């Protein structure tokens, strides 16, 4: 479990594909400072498990289903990634509950600069649109954000407003139209949707 508060910008050192899986190595001095084999680290919002590590890097295996559902397959050596270690009990929850189990990807539609902040609009999969509400929480590339606006039903997009800290401390500040990001909707919304589906079916 994560909070969506990015701790570090990591750098992809290697991305080795093998059949329908891969192995990702990331430079991450802070993330590995107290990591051990089997620990979870969020990479651009995707929960990955440490299988090997050094003084300032870690390696994780990535399954085919994760490659298909996320943007991890697009990564190249030298790319920056958002990193967060798993939340520790007893610490403040600065963002919201983020599982690292993404729902899919979204594409940047527009980037609108303001005086000291920036508004990003993302296209949204119609299946995910009911789970995203104005002023609700969403994780974009693992970053806990508040939805500032949403499209009407059938016009599937959402917007977030990024403060200077978010623009500089995460990869979101470098996004341009056409870029893809990993998206995780609010866990409570997903549970409500599932319960409502059973209610409608009479199960």
């Amino acid at each position: 479990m994560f909070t969506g508060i990015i701790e570090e910008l990591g750098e992809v050192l290697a991305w080795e594909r093998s059949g329908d899986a891969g192995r990702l190595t990331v430079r991450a001095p802070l993330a590995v400072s107290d990591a051990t084999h089997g620990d979870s680290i969020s990479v651009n919002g995707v929960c990955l498990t440490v299988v090997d590590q050094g003084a300032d890097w870690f390696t994780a295996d990535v399954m085919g289903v994760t490659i298909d559902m996320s943007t991890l397959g697009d990564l190249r050596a030298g790319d920056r990634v958002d990193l967060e270690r798993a939340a520790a009990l007893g610490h403040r929850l600065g963002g919201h509950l983020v599982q690292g189990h993404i729902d899919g990807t979204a594409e940047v539609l527009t980037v609108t600069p303001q005086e000291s902040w920036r508004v990003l609009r993302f296209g949204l999969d119609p299946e995910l649109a009911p789970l995203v509400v104005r002023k609700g929480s969403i994780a974009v590339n693992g970053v806990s954000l508040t939805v500032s606006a949403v499209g009407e039903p059938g016009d599937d997009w959402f917007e977030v407003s990024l403060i200077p800290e978010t623009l500089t401390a995460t990869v979101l500040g470098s996004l341009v139209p056409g870029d893809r990001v990993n998206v995780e909707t609010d866990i409570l919304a997903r549970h409500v949707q599932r319960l409502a589906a059973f209610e409608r079916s009479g199960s």
Side-chain angles (χ1 to χ4, degrees), residues 35-108:
T36 59
H37 185 89
D39 280 355
S40 296
I41 296 177
S42 171
V43 179
N44 276 358
V46 180
C47 178
L48 298 179
T49 301
V50 176
V51 297
D52 194 11
Q53 67 188 99
D56 66 349
W57 59 268
F58 73 93
T59 296
D61 290 325
V62 185
M63 298 183 298
V65 64
T66 303
I67 295 172
D68 292 340
M69 284 192 64
S70 73
T71 63
L72 295 188
D74 300 334
L75 292 175
R76 300 291 183 269
D79 285 349
R80 296 190 308 165
V81 288
D82 291 329
L83 300 176
E84 181 190 357
R85 293 169 292 181
L89 292 176
H91 287 200
R92 290 183 178 88
L93 182 63
H96 72 283
L97 292 178
V98 178
Q99 293 181 297
H101 305 158
I102 68 165
D103 296 298
T105 63
E107 181 179 329
V108 179

Side-chain angles (χ1 to χ4, degrees), residues 69-71 74 102-112 119-126 128 132 138-141 155-160 172 175-184:
M69 284 192 64
S70 73
T71 63
D74 300 334
I102 68 165
D103 296 298
T105 63
E107 181 179 329
V108 179
L109 299 179
T110 60
V111 176
T112 305
V119 177
L120 274 63
R121 177 176 290 193
F122 298 90
L124 192 61
D125 189 312
L128 300 181
V132 181
I138 194 166
V140 178
N141 268 8
D155 188 14
D156 302 317
W157 55 264
F158 71 95
E159 288 182 346
V160 294
L172 302 187
L175 294 178
V176 296
D179 285 345
R180 291 194 310 141
V181 295
N182 298 317
V183 173
E184 180 183 334

